[in-house]
């Protein structure tokens, strides 16, 4: 078995440290030095691996999206009905690994960064397109042509809950978030009948 080099291990440590530091500060005003210190290495080494704080944050969001994507794929593979697929998408959006204070703060900063950074904007658009596509696929058997508008509404609800929680205090409540979004979806689906 090949030996794993130090670079992937250090990059991963820096990404995890960035998530924690952004969560504690609540913004991108955290320094590379502070992130590197939390990861147990020098700021120079952090710059060596990422080049800039902006690139480190983009790598951090790619990691967040990778974790989210893996959970979505697993949940959808285990779902046998359109209703189960819809619920799985909402549950994963608010799971413990995706809906915790540090990750919510990273998302809020990612939304802001996407307004001025082309790479972040592209990454955000890819996430949004995939979420809407998955939601449309789950909704189409239930509401036909209305699937697109309901998927847009559900995606807006999910993003809105993240924005709401970013302004809150304490740990985000995933069960409450799932109940809010599923309540909206249930009402929208009932109205469509």
């Amino acid at each position: 078995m090949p030996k794993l080099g130090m670079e992937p291990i250090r990059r991963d440590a820096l990404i995890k440290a960035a998530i924690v530091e952004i969560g504690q500060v609540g913004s991108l005003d955290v320094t590379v030095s502070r992130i590197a210190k939390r990861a147990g290495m020098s700021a120079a080494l952090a710059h060596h691996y990422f080049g800039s704080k902006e690139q480190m944050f983009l790598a951090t969001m790619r990691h967040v999206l990778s974790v989210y994507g893996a959970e979505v794929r697993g949940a959808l593979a285990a779902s046998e009905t359109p209703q189960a697929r819809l619920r799985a998408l909402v549950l994963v959006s608010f799971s413990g690994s995706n809906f915790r204070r540090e990750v919510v703060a990273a998302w809020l900063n990612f939304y802001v960064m996407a307004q001025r950074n082309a790479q972040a904007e592209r990454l955000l658009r890819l996430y949004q397109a995939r979420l809407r596509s998955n939601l449309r696929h789950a909704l189409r058997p239930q509401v036909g042509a209305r699937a697109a508008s309901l998927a847009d509404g559900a995606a807006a609800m999910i993003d809105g809950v993240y924005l709401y929680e970013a302004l809150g205090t304490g740990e985000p409540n995933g069960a409450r978030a799932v109940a809010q979004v599923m309540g909206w979806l249930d009402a929208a689906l009932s109205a469509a009948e």
Side-chain angles (χ1 to χ4, degrees):
M1 188 150 104
K3 184 177 177 184
L4 187 62
M6 287 306 294
E7 181 174 351
I9 294 168
R10 288 179 178 155
R11 287 175 67 87
D12 187 58
L14 286 164
I15 286 169
K16 289 177 180 166
I19 291 170
V20 171
E21 289 297 326
I22 291 165
Q24 286 186 347
V25 173
S27 74
L28 293 178
D29 290 339
V30 64
T31 64
V32 172
S33 178
R34 185 171 167 173
I35 294 168
K37 183 177 180 182
R38 176 171 290 279
M41 60 191 83
S42 71
L45 195 55
H47 278 289
H48 169 74
Y49 288 132
F50 293 103
S52 68
K53 180 171 76 170
E54 196 167 77
Q55 289 303 312
M56 184 185 297
F57 185 65
L58 284 169
T60 299
M61 286 312 298
R62 283 186 195 99
H63 170 78
V64 166
L65 288 167
S66 177
V67 168
Y68 171 76
E71 287 187 25
V72 165
R73 287 187 298 279
L76 292 178
S79 300
E80 296 183 10
T81 66
Q83 295 85 356
R85 288 177 63 83
L86 185 60
R87 183 155 182 82
L89 289 166
V90 175
L91 284 170
V92 168
S93 294
F94 302 111
S95 72
S97 56
N98 297 311
F99 198 58
R100 60 183 206 272
R101 176 70 38 217
E102 302 87 30
V103 177
V104 169
W107 271 104
L108 179 62
N109 286 283
F110 183 52
Y111 292 133
V112 172
M113 185 182 191
Q115 294 179 14
R116 60 177 172 71
N117 179 289
Q119 290 177 326
E121 191 266 342
R122 180 180 175 278
L123 198 56
L124 180 59
R125 296 294 162 243
L126 287 171
Y127 153 74
Q128 290 174 331
R130 175 56 66 190
L131 176 61
R132 282 181 171 83
S133 174
N134 283 329
L135 289 165
R136 277 193 310 273
H137 184 265
L139 287 162
R140 194 170 292 119
Q142 299 172 73
V143 294
R146 291 202 51 226
S149 70
L150 285 179
D152 287 347
M157 285 287 297
I158 290 167
D159 286 346
V161 170
Y162 269 78
L163 292 172
Y164 177 80
E165 284 296 336
L167 302 173
T169 58
E171 199 59 30
N173 185 327
R176 183 182 65 225
V178 168
Q180 287 174 327
V181 175
M182 288 307 299
W184 181 86
L185 276 165
D186 289 342
L189 288 169
S190 293
E193 294 175 351

